[in-house]
Amino acid sequence: MSGLGGKFLDYLYPKQCLGCDLWFSFGGPKFLCSVCEGLTINTQPILRRSVEGVIVYSRFLYSNQVVAKTVQALKYEHIFDASEVCGGWVSQIFERFIPEETVIVPVPLHVSRLSERGYNQAELICLAATQGRAIPVKTDVLVRTRKTEYQALLNEESRRTNVANVFSVNGVCDPCVNYVIFDDVVTSGSTMGDCARALRAAGAQKIFGVTVASTHGDVVAL
Ligand SMILES: [Zn+2]
């Protein structure tokens, strides 16, 4: 609920902060308490790194506990409000760094994991990030051809072999269009790299990556 009615309910029913689990109310920010919001304000630098020759922009370091908890709340605890928070964070990247004529391609889940979880968190964040903008989010471009172990449970070497050649592309890509591979988090870069290889093999020539968080990256000047 939004508007005055929603505000009234916020007043009556405090919310639990996604970042620290604290209960708060009385006109605070919607999903984060003021302390956690302070740790994720827009003045923090955007990060950039290169994965397989693709520039990947990330909004925050994954070592930021507020960010990690918010991403995990969406991914593992089915707290959908977290997609709005994450979407708000990455929308700045789309505004500032991603050119026109862009198609966003969320990293897909395998069909069995999609039916297990019921949604693709990367897709939900993309949709929240692009609300009100004419940037298409395409979920039928990349396909995950086999189920893989959770990357979070593996070391770097195993991550590479875990996702090697698991993505393919439906049809062909337009060499004039920018393809933005979107994921919630980039760690070793194995998933992002494999998606980029699949897109290139299908003819894409302009590829970027965008994530909410990254384990590392160079600071981009604000
Ligand atoms: Zn908090």
Side-chain angles (χ1 to χ4, degrees):
M1 188 185 286
S2 59
L4 207 56
K7 281 201 172 64
F8 182 63
L9 286 179
D10 284 350
Y11 180 83
L12 280 184
Y13 301 104
K15 289 204 164 114
Q16 195 166 18
C17 173
L18 288 170
C20 69
D21 297 332
L22 185 89
W23 291 91
F24 67 93
S25 65
F26 308 111
K30 212 170 170 193
F31 306 118
L32 293 174
C33 73
S34 53
V35 174
C36 289
E37 197 175 59
L39 296 169
T40 54
I41 49 174
N42 292 340
T43 50
Q44 289 209 7
I46 286 167
L47 303 163
R48 180 173 53 198
R49 61 190 266 201
S50 175
V51 175
E52 298 276 336
V54 168
I55 295 177
V56 180
Y57 293 100
S58 304
R59 187 62 197 84
F60 294 113
L61 279 174
Y62 198 46
S63 56
N64 182 324
Q65 285 304 302
V66 176
V67 174
K69 275 205 75 189
T70 304
V71 167
Q72 288 159 10
L74 174 62
K75 203 165 174 173
Y76 303 118
E77 295 167 44
H78 309 264
I79 300 176
F80 295 107
D81 290 343
S83 65
E84 276 194 46
V85 177
C86 293
W89 287 335
V90 292
S91 64
Q92 275 187 310
I93 297 177
F94 287 109
E95 272 164 29
R96 292 195 46 196
F97 299 104
I98 302 302
E100 305 270 302
E101 292 294 313
T102 286
V103 165
I104 306 178
V105 182
V107 171
L109 301 177
H110 188 262
V111 279
S112 63
R113 182 146 293 147
L114 185 61
S115 67
E116 220 171 81
R117 190 177 290 164
Y119 57 93
N120 176 355
Q121 76 283 354
E123 183 187 337
L124 295 186
I125 299 170
C126 290
L127 292 171
T130 56
Q131 250 172 27
R133 275 186 231 146
I135 310 176
V137 176
K138 297 246 183 188
T139 54
D140 58 353
V141 175
L142 274 175
V143 183
R144 192 185 283 253
T145 50
R146 70 180 158 83
K147 193 176 180 182
T148 52
E149 293 302 315
Y150 278 116
Q151 291 287 81
L153 302 176
L154 304 172
N155 66 29
E156 188 156 332
E157 180 54 34
S158 308
R159 283 175 187 217
R160 254 194 295 277
T161 48
N162 188 40
V163 296
N165 304 312
V166 303
F167 297 100
S168 66
V169 167
N170 260 333
V172 292
C173 292
D174 183 339
C176 301
V177 168
N178 294 292
Y179 289 87
V180 174
I181 306 163
F182 185 89
D183 209 354
D184 48 2
V185 182
V186 56
T187 53
S188 68
S190 308
T191 302
M192 191 66 78
D194 205 41
C195 288
R197 272 191 296 278
L199 288 168
R200 269 198 204 107
Q205 290 184 9
K206 302 188 222 170
I207 307 171
F208 293 88
V210 172
T211 72
V212 176
S214 173
T215 48
H216 60 276
D218 300 324
V219 165
V220 180
L222 285 170

PDB file of all heavy atoms in Angstrom, residues 198-222:
ATOM      1  N   ALA A 198      28.954 -16.802 -23.898  1.00  0.00           N
ATOM      2  CA  ALA A 198      27.775 -17.295 -24.625  1.00  0.00           C
ATOM      3  C   ALA A 198      27.188 -16.187 -25.509  1.00  0.00           C
ATOM      4  O   ALA A 198      26.811 -16.417 -26.664  1.00  0.00           O
ATOM      5  CB  ALA A 198      26.728 -17.800 -23.634  1.00  0.00           C
ATOM      6  N   LEU A 199      27.121 -14.969 -24.977  1.00  0.00           N
ATOM      7  CA  LEU A 199      26.569 -13.848 -25.754  1.00  0.00           C
ATOM      8  C   LEU A 199      27.463 -13.541 -26.949  1.00  0.00           C
ATOM      9  O   LEU A 199      26.984 -13.316 -28.066  1.00  0.00           O
ATOM     10  CB  LEU A 199      26.426 -12.600 -24.867  1.00  0.00           C
ATOM     11  CG  LEU A 199      25.305 -12.640 -23.821  1.00  0.00           C
ATOM     12  CD1 LEU A 199      25.452 -11.499 -22.829  1.00  0.00           C
ATOM     13  CD2 LEU A 199      23.928 -12.567 -24.496  1.00  0.00           C
ATOM     14  N   ARG A 200      28.775 -13.542 -26.719  1.00  0.00           N
ATOM     15  CA  ARG A 200      29.716 -13.274 -27.814  1.00  0.00           C
ATOM     16  C   ARG A 200      29.586 -14.320 -28.906  1.00  0.00           C
ATOM     17  O   ARG A 200      29.585 -13.995 -30.085  1.00  0.00           O
ATOM     18  CB  ARG A 200      31.161 -13.286 -27.293  1.00  0.00           C
ATOM     19  CG  ARG A 200      31.622 -11.932 -26.856  1.00  0.00           C
ATOM     20  CD  ARG A 200      33.138 -11.867 -26.774  1.00  0.00           C
ATOM     21  NE  ARG A 200      33.477 -10.809 -25.839  1.00  0.00           N
ATOM     22  CZ  ARG A 200      33.942 -11.020 -24.617  1.00  0.00           C
ATOM     23  NH1 ARG A 200      34.186 -12.242 -24.188  1.00  0.00           N
ATOM     24  NH2 ARG A 200      34.190 -10.004 -23.829  1.00  0.00           N
ATOM     25  N   ALA A 201      29.489 -15.574 -28.490  1.00  0.00           N
ATOM     26  CA  ALA A 201      29.380 -16.665 -29.461  1.00  0.00           C
ATOM     27  C   ALA A 201      28.124 -16.500 -30.317  1.00  0.00           C
ATOM     28  O   ALA A 201      28.066 -16.964 -31.452  1.00  0.00           O
ATOM     29  CB  ALA A 201      29.361 -18.005 -28.737  1.00  0.00           C
ATOM     30  N   ALA A 202      27.109 -15.823 -29.758  1.00  0.00           N
ATOM     31  CA  ALA A 202      25.849 -15.624 -30.499  1.00  0.00           C
ATOM     32  C   ALA A 202      25.867 -14.307 -31.284  1.00  0.00           C
ATOM     33  O   ALA A 202      24.856 -13.936 -31.884  1.00  0.00           O
ATOM     34  CB  ALA A 202      24.679 -15.641 -29.529  1.00  0.00           C
ATOM     35  N   GLY A 203      26.986 -13.594 -31.258  1.00  0.00           N
ATOM     36  CA  GLY A 203      27.113 -12.402 -32.101  1.00  0.00           C
ATOM     37  C   GLY A 203      27.117 -11.069 -31.377  1.00  0.00           C
ATOM     38  O   GLY A 203      27.308 -10.021 -32.010  1.00  0.00           O
ATOM     39  N   ALA A 204      26.933 -11.067 -30.054  1.00  0.00           N
ATOM     40  CA  ALA A 204      26.939  -9.788 -29.327  1.00  0.00           C
ATOM     41  C   ALA A 204      28.356  -9.206 -29.343  1.00  0.00           C
ATOM     42  O   ALA A 204      29.337  -9.932 -29.192  1.00  0.00           O
ATOM     43  CB  ALA A 204      26.485  -9.996 -27.886  1.00  0.00           C
ATOM     44  N   GLN A 205      28.448  -7.910 -29.556  1.00  0.00           N
ATOM     45  CA  GLN A 205      29.767  -7.267 -29.577  1.00  0.00           C
ATOM     46  C   GLN A 205      29.925  -6.242 -28.466  1.00  0.00           C
ATOM     47  O   GLN A 205      31.026  -5.876 -28.115  1.00  0.00           O
ATOM     48  CB  GLN A 205      30.014  -6.618 -30.942  1.00  0.00           C
ATOM     49  CG  GLN A 205      30.207  -7.675 -32.017  1.00  0.00           C
ATOM     50  CD  GLN A 205      30.555  -7.099 -33.369  1.00  0.00           C
ATOM     51  OE1 GLN A 205      30.825  -5.907 -33.502  1.00  0.00           O
ATOM     52  NE2 GLN A 205      30.527  -7.944 -34.381  1.00  0.00           N
ATOM     53  N   LYS A 206      28.793  -5.727 -27.969  1.00  0.00           N
ATOM     54  CA  LYS A 206      28.872  -4.734 -26.898  1.00  0.00           C
ATOM     55  C   LYS A 206      28.230  -5.330 -25.651  1.00  0.00           C
ATOM     56  O   LYS A 206      27.002  -5.482 -25.593  1.00  0.00           O
ATOM     57  CB  LYS A 206      28.128  -3.465 -27.305  1.00  0.00           C
ATOM     58  CG  LYS A 206      28.662  -2.836 -28.587  1.00  0.00           C
ATOM     59  CD  LYS A 206      27.987  -1.517 -28.782  1.00  0.00           C
ATOM     60  CE  LYS A 206      27.588  -1.285 -30.216  1.00  0.00           C
ATOM     61  NZ  LYS A 206      26.740  -0.117 -30.364  1.00  0.00           N
ATOM     62  N   ILE A 207      29.064  -5.665 -24.692  1.00  0.00           N
ATOM     63  CA  ILE A 207      28.569  -6.350 -23.486  1.00  0.00           C
ATOM     64  C   ILE A 207      29.086  -5.630 -22.243  1.00  0.00           C
ATOM     65  O   ILE A 207      30.269  -5.292 -22.172  1.00  0.00           O
ATOM     66  CB  ILE A 207      29.031  -7.825 -23.463  1.00  0.00           C
ATOM     67  CG1 ILE A 207      28.658  -8.544 -24.763  1.00  0.00           C
ATOM     68  CG2 ILE A 207      28.427  -8.558 -22.268  1.00  0.00           C
ATOM     69  CD1 ILE A 207      29.262  -9.933 -24.911  1.00  0.00           C
ATOM     70  N   PHE A 208      28.187  -5.387 -21.298  1.00  0.00           N
ATOM     71  CA  PHE A 208      28.549  -4.849 -19.987  1.00  0.00           C
ATOM     72  C   PHE A 208      28.033  -5.809 -18.921  1.00  0.00           C
ATOM     73  O   PHE A 208      27.194  -6.661 -19.211  1.00  0.00           O
ATOM     74  CB  PHE A 208      27.871  -3.489 -19.726  1.00  0.00           C
ATOM     75  CG  PHE A 208      28.341  -2.379 -20.609  1.00  0.00           C
ATOM     76  CD1 PHE A 208      27.734  -2.142 -21.836  1.00  0.00           C
ATOM     77  CD2 PHE A 208      29.394  -1.566 -20.214  1.00  0.00           C
ATOM     78  CE1 PHE A 208      28.166  -1.114 -22.651  1.00  0.00           C
ATOM     79  CE2 PHE A 208      29.829  -0.526 -21.023  1.00  0.00           C
ATOM     80  CZ  PHE A 208      29.213  -0.300 -22.245  1.00  0.00           C
ATOM     81  N   GLY A 209      28.505  -5.617 -17.715  1.00  0.00           N
ATOM     82  CA  GLY A 209      27.944  -6.345 -16.583  1.00  0.00           C
ATOM     83  C   GLY A 209      27.524  -5.340 -15.532  1.00  0.00           C
ATOM     84  O   GLY A 209      28.163  -4.298 -15.380  1.00  0.00           O
ATOM     85  N   VAL A 210      26.437  -5.620 -14.826  1.00  0.00           N
ATOM     86  CA  VAL A 210      26.010  -4.783 -13.700  1.00  0.00           C
ATOM     87  C   VAL A 210      25.607  -5.723 -12.560  1.00  0.00           C
ATOM     88  O   VAL A 210      24.909  -6.712 -12.787  1.00  0.00           O
ATOM     89  CB  VAL A 210      24.822  -3.871 -14.081  1.00  0.00           C
ATOM     90  CG1 VAL A 210      24.281  -3.160 -12.843  1.00  0.00           C
ATOM     91  CG2 VAL A 210      25.228  -2.842 -15.134  1.00  0.00           C
ATOM     92  N   THR A 211      26.070  -5.404 -11.358  1.00  0.00           N
ATOM     93  CA  THR A 211      25.635  -6.173 -10.185  1.00  0.00           C
ATOM     94  C   THR A 211      25.380  -5.220  -9.017  1.00  0.00           C
ATOM     95  O   THR A 211      25.869  -4.088  -9.013  1.00  0.00           O
ATOM     96  CB  THR A 211      26.691  -7.211  -9.722  1.00  0.00           C
ATOM     97  OG1 THR A 211      27.804  -6.539  -9.125  1.00  0.00           O
ATOM     98  CG2 THR A 211      27.181  -8.095 -10.854  1.00  0.00           C
ATOM     99  N   VAL A 212      24.645  -5.695  -8.049  1.00  0.00           N
ATOM    100  CA  VAL A 212      24.445  -4.916  -6.829  1.00  0.00           C
ATOM    101  C   VAL A 212      25.766  -4.839  -6.070  1.00  0.00           C
ATOM    102  O   VAL A 212      26.179  -3.781  -5.620  1.00  0.00           O
ATOM    103  CB  VAL A 212      23.373  -5.576  -5.921  1.00  0.00           C
ATOM    104  CG1 VAL A 212      23.232  -4.816  -4.616  1.00  0.00           C
ATOM    105  CG2 VAL A 212      22.041  -5.676  -6.654  1.00  0.00           C
ATOM    106  N   ALA A 213      26.446  -5.982  -5.948  1.00  0.00           N
ATOM    107  CA  ALA A 213      27.661  -6.008  -5.136  1.00  0.00           C
ATOM    108  C   ALA A 213      28.759  -6.809  -5.805  1.00  0.00           C
ATOM    109  O   ALA A 213      28.502  -7.669  -6.651  1.00  0.00           O
ATOM    110  CB  ALA A 213      27.340  -6.620  -3.772  1.00  0.00           C
ATOM    111  N   SER A 214      29.992  -6.490  -5.409  1.00  0.00           N
ATOM    112  CA  SER A 214      31.159  -7.206  -5.912  1.00  0.00           C
ATOM    113  C   SER A 214      32.128  -7.417  -4.752  1.00  0.00           C
ATOM    114  O   SER A 214      32.175  -6.623  -3.814  1.00  0.00           O
ATOM    115  CB  SER A 214      31.836  -6.368  -7.005  1.00  0.00           C
ATOM    116  OG  SER A 214      33.065  -6.980  -7.388  1.00  0.00           O
ATOM    117  N   THR A 215      32.897  -8.494  -4.849  1.00  0.00           N
ATOM    118  CA  THR A 215      33.899  -8.739  -3.806  1.00  0.00           C
ATOM    119  C   THR A 215      35.045  -7.745  -3.896  1.00  0.00           C
ATOM    120  O   THR A 215      35.741  -7.507  -2.925  1.00  0.00           O
ATOM    121  CB  THR A 215      34.462 -10.168  -3.916  1.00  0.00           C
ATOM    122  OG1 THR A 215      34.801 -10.385  -5.292  1.00  0.00           O
ATOM    123  CG2 THR A 215      33.463 -11.189  -3.439  1.00  0.00           C
ATOM    124  N   HIS A 216      35.275  -7.191  -5.090  1.00  0.00           N
ATOM    125  CA  HIS A 216      36.339  -6.192  -5.251  1.00  0.00           C
ATOM    126  C   HIS A 216      36.080  -5.382  -6.521  1.00  0.00           C
ATOM    127  O   HIS A 216      35.194  -5.710  -7.312  1.00  0.00           O
ATOM    128  CB  HIS A 216      37.714  -6.861  -5.307  1.00  0.00           C
ATOM    129  CG  HIS A 216      37.865  -7.835  -6.446  1.00  0.00           C
ATOM    130  ND1 HIS A 216      37.448  -9.136  -6.374  1.00  0.00           N
ATOM    131  CD2 HIS A 216      38.365  -7.681  -7.701  1.00  0.00           C
ATOM    132  CE1 HIS A 216      37.706  -9.748  -7.506  1.00  0.00           C
ATOM    133  NE2 HIS A 216      38.242  -8.885  -8.339  1.00  0.00           N
ATOM    134  N   GLY A 217      36.891  -4.341  -6.704  1.00  0.00           N
ATOM    135  CA  GLY A 217      36.750  -3.521  -7.898  1.00  0.00           C
ATOM    136  C   GLY A 217      37.444  -2.194  -7.694  1.00  0.00           C
ATOM    137  O   GLY A 217      37.769  -1.829  -6.562  1.00  0.00           O
ATOM    138  N   ASP A 218      37.704  -1.493  -8.794  1.00  0.00           N
ATOM    139  CA  ASP A 218      38.297  -0.153  -8.701  1.00  0.00           C
ATOM    140  C   ASP A 218      37.184   0.858  -8.469  1.00  0.00           C
ATOM    141  O   ASP A 218      36.077   0.699  -8.990  1.00  0.00           O
ATOM    142  CB  ASP A 218      39.011   0.209 -10.014  1.00  0.00           C
ATOM    143  CG  ASP A 218      40.122  -0.780 -10.313  1.00  0.00           C
ATOM    144  OD1 ASP A 218      40.773  -1.230  -9.337  1.00  0.00           O
ATOM    145  OD2 ASP A 218      40.316  -1.119 -11.485  1.00  0.00           O
ATOM    146  N   VAL A 219      37.508   1.880  -7.736  1.00  0.00           N
ATOM    147  CA  VAL A 219      36.530   2.920  -7.456  1.00  0.00           C
ATOM    148  C   VAL A 219      36.362   3.814  -8.681  1.00  0.00           C
ATOM    149  O   VAL A 219      37.330   4.222  -9.302  1.00  0.00           O
ATOM    150  CB  VAL A 219      37.011   3.758  -6.244  1.00  0.00           C
ATOM    151  CG1 VAL A 219      36.261   5.047  -6.130  1.00  0.00           C
ATOM    152  CG2 VAL A 219      36.886   2.922  -4.980  1.00  0.00           C
ATOM    153  N   VAL A 220      35.101   4.069  -9.058  1.00  0.00           N
ATOM    154  CA  VAL A 220      34.826   4.970 -10.173  1.00  0.00           C
ATOM    155  C   VAL A 220      34.559   6.346  -9.582  1.00  0.00           C
ATOM    156  O   VAL A 220      33.787   6.478  -8.625  1.00  0.00           O
ATOM    157  CB  VAL A 220      33.589   4.504 -10.958  1.00  0.00           C
ATOM    158  CG1 VAL A 220      33.301   5.448 -12.118  1.00  0.00           C
ATOM    159  CG2 VAL A 220      33.778   3.084 -11.447  1.00  0.00           C
ATOM    160  N   ALA A 221      35.173   7.353 -10.155  1.00  0.00           N
ATOM    161  CA  ALA A 221      34.999   8.716  -9.633  1.00  0.00           C
ATOM    162  C   ALA A 221      33.540   9.123  -9.690  1.00  0.00           C
ATOM    163  O   ALA A 221      32.838   8.831 -10.657  1.00  0.00           O
ATOM    164  CB  ALA A 221      35.838   9.679 -10.460  1.00  0.00           C
ATOM    165  N   LEU A 222      33.084   9.767  -8.651  1.00  0.00           N
ATOM    166  CA  LEU A 222      31.675  10.213  -8.629  1.00  0.00           C
ATOM    167  C   LEU A 222      31.524  11.524  -9.384  1.00  0.00           C
ATOM    168  O   LEU A 222      32.452  12.273  -9.513  1.00  0.00           O
ATOM    169  CB  LEU A 222      31.210  10.391  -7.192  1.00  0.00           C
ATOM    170  CG  LEU A 222      30.915   9.092  -6.419  1.00  0.00           C
ATOM    171  CD1 LEU A 222      30.717   9.392  -4.957  1.00  0.00           C
ATOM    172  CD2 LEU A 222      29.687   8.397  -6.976  1.00  0.00           C
TER     173      LEU A 222
END
